[in-house]
Amino acid sequence: MQFSTFKNNLDNWQGTSLIFGISDKDIENQLENIRFIIDPKILLKKVNQKKFKGKKGETLNLEFLDQRLETLTIFGLGESTAIEINDIKNYLANIIRTIVDKEEKTSILLPRELINSEEKIKLLAESVRLSAFKDNRFNNKRDKKKILKEIEFLNLKEFENISFKETEYICEGVELARRLVAAPPNSLTPIEMSLEASKIAKDLGLEIKILGKKECEDLGMGAYLAVAKGSDLEPKFIHLTLKSKNPVKEKIVLVGKGLTFDSGGYNLKVGASQIEMMKYDMGGSASVLGAAKSLGNIKPDGLEIHFIVAACENMINGSAVHPGDVIKASNGKTIEINNTDAEGRLTLADALTYASNLKPDSIIDLATLTGAIVVALGNDVAGFWTNDNSMANDLKTASSQVGEALWQMPLQKSYKDGLKSHIADMKNTGPRAGGSITAALFLEEFFDSSIKWAHIDIAGTCWTDKNKGINPSGATGYGVKTLVQWIKNKQEANK
């Protein structure tokens, strides 16, 4: 999908499809703004007939057979003093989903005061593209092409030279993450995920290292390999590196949980555990690889960025890890496995140790780690933990800038007692209460404490069963935009 701005006088506009936003006051006067394409008196008559009032989210779809304008969608913005950019994003998203298969090109006209910065325009463009996303790879619509190819913004003369290239890069990263999460587990295996990473490296000039089982054994990755033992598919440990052309001012590692399928192991997922949806247990790795794609195009300066995924399956066979086994992670710590369905933190233990050995300034890991975070925050907000206040503020800022809801959770040290084991250094799960907190406390044991670290649990936010805002039903690609914005803010701060 392409974006453009109409640079000429509106009287010269030759489009046939228009989306027009208006507030709930003085509608008749606002309709004068599209006199260039249709007689306001004709339009006012139709608006009154349909009892359109310009309320928030209200839409009116009109078709004209005797006018150059063929379709017009008017949507309400509500009170002019209470309009927020996120509301506009959601309204546009709903509209775009209704026309994506009908129009090749549509134009958008909004009150000038609402889109008075490049940042807002790009956010709207991003929301339009992401809301139009469809994934038909695995159904009989796979050969159909989306009709909507171009979005044009009107009445933006002061921004007529705006570039949407970075917006397109970010959308490409989110779309990759969505496709990875949505892919069934017989399609996206650990080796297929490594091939996806290799393609990013080849296309965008990143360095890549993929470790097989033997290399991981040599590094002592007993926690990660314990999880992989039950599968017939070989684990793949993926390490992408994006180098800076200029001197490196900061080294960053992004780590994603990469369980391409999670059966639960011998603590088998049963009942309402949604085993059939456990293809999305690699949501964290999808976000990290999506960010790699976006950042590989953007190429932030002065930063060396590493992207790490310990990809494997959690399955059951005669070799699978048992409840009660004691394993050793690559940092030497022993772990008593009291629940084989708490496997993600085991793979992350070795991934975080590997990341720590790179001597970075900061590490962020993303994971669909616990059901407890869904109970705590629902499906619209991800939770995060960090050992550094400045990192907390930076992540809150970045997530707010891109519209991905993120809430800081406590690293309550007293809860670490729940991880004590009688025979090993720790257990892999604690009591049911505070489960997402003890999971974060577990991860904190596997990197140098001098490194700034944040853990983001996206178990509730990586998937939606129905259209919601800019996210069509299915995989959301949550986390890509926050990671990219956080990196962009880092680059700006280091100038």
Side-chain angles (χ1 to χ4, degrees), residues 229-272:
K229 282 170 60 178
S231 175
D232 293 338
L233 302 180
E234 288 283 306
K236 295 292 179 182
F237 191 96
I238 301 162
H239 178 190
L240 284 161
T241 307
L242 177 60
K243 294 286 185 70
S244 171
K245 290 182 179 179
N246 293 313
V248 174
K249 298 179 180 178
E250 196 164 345
K251 185 188 288 188
I252 294 165
V253 185
L254 304 179
V255 180
K257 175 185 169 184
L259 269 292
T260 59
F261 186 74
D262 176 21
S263 70
Y266 277 108
N267 290 106
L268 186 68
K269 292 180 182 291
V270 294

Side-chain angles (χ1 to χ4, degrees), residues 96-235:
I96 290 297
R97 277 193 283 267
T98 67
I99 67 171
V100 66
D101 293 324
K102 299 176 183 177
E103 308 286 347
E104 283 194 7
K105 178 180 178 179
T106 193
S107 300
I108 298 173
L109 178 61
L110 294 167
R112 188 186 295 268
E113 64 272 15
L114 297 182
I115 45 175
N116 53 11
S117 71
E118 286 197 9
E119 179 186 357
K120 288 182 179 179
I121 298 165
K122 289 177 179 179
L123 282 174
L124 293 178
E126 177 187 285
S127 66
V128 166
R129 172 163 170 170
L130 293 178
S131 63
F133 175 83
K134 288 189 174 184
D135 186 359
N136 292 323
R137 289 172 296 166
F138 304 101
N139 60 40
N140 60 14
K141 297 178 182 178
R142 57 187 172 274
D143 296 324
K144 293 183 179 180
K145 303 294 183 183
K146 273 194 310 189
I147 293 177
L148 186 60
K149 298 176 181 176
E150 183 177 351
I151 299 291
E152 179 182 53
F153 290 92
L154 305 183
N155 206 24
L156 296 177
K157 282 191 174 182
E158 63 268 47
F159 303 111
E160 62 181 19
N161 295 318
I162 187 174
S163 171
F164 292 99
K165 187 57 68 176
E166 188 173 285
T167 301
E168 292 170 2
Y169 291 152
I170 294 169
C171 289
E172 287 172 7
V174 175
E175 289 164 354
L176 172 63
R178 287 176 173 181
R179 286 193 297 272
L180 292 174
V181 172
N186 62 333
S187 174
L188 186 73
T189 60
I191 190 169
E192 287 298 323
M193 186 179 286
S194 71
L195 292 175
E196 289 283 351
S198 296
K199 187 176 187 305
I200 294 171
K202 181 180 179 181
D203 291 347
L204 302 176
L206 279 71
E207 296 178 4
I208 187 164
K209 182 189 298 183
I210 298 175
L211 307 181
K213 181 180 177 182
K214 177 63 168 61
E215 292 94 334
C216 293
E217 287 175 342
D218 292 343
L219 291 173
M221 294 186 180
Y224 167 45
L225 293 176
V227 176
K229 282 170 60 178
S231 175
D232 293 338
L233 302 180
E234 288 283 306

Side-chain angles (χ1 to χ4, degrees), residues 413-446:
K413 301 302 182 184
S414 60
Y415 288 8
K416 193 171 285 190
D417 288 345
L419 294 173
K420 287 182 177 178
S421 166
H422 294 295
I423 59 172
D425 292 326
M426 69 186 80
K427 296 183 294 187
N428 69 324
T429 66
R432 181 177 177 85
S436 63
I437 299 174
T438 52
L441 290 167
F442 177 90
L443 297 180
E444 199 178 21
E445 295 294 312
F446 296 94

